[in-house]
Amino acid sequence: MALAGGDTADLEHVVRSKFRPHIVLAGGEPDGVPLMEGRTPVDGHAAAYVCEQFSCRQPVTEPAELEALLP
């Protein structure tokens, strides 16, 4: 999972609110991190990109939307 944008705290809180050992979380500037390449904020809002088996879903910007995508 990639978090892109300035203030990702609310989205990060959703991910870290439960024990999810199978999730790899990346954030910040791409700086050569493949998971972050091409991941950008959406309309100026922090975005979460949920990826599985080399394919990512459409990014979400709301914590409730992210919660619905996670197990």
Side-chain angles (χ1 to χ4, degrees):
M1 170 181 303
L3 299 181
D7 185 8
T8 60
D10 290 341
L11 297 171
E12 184 177 346
H13 177 72
V14 170
V15 177
R16 296 182 185 275
S17 67
K18 294 181 182 174
F19 183 62
R20 294 182 167 109
H22 59 284
I23 290 181
V24 173
L25 183 60
E29 296 299 318
D31 293 332
V33 177
L35 185 57
M36 291 303 298
E37 288 181 22
R39 309 296 183 249
T40 60
V42 175
D43 295 328
H45 299 281
Y49 292 79
V50 178
C51 307
E52 196 171 21
Q53 297 181 5
F54 305 102
S55 177
C56 296
R57 297 176 184 228
Q58 290 292 320
V60 296
T61 58
E62 295 297 323
E65 293 174 311
L66 179 56
E67 182 69 44
L69 294 177
L70 300 177

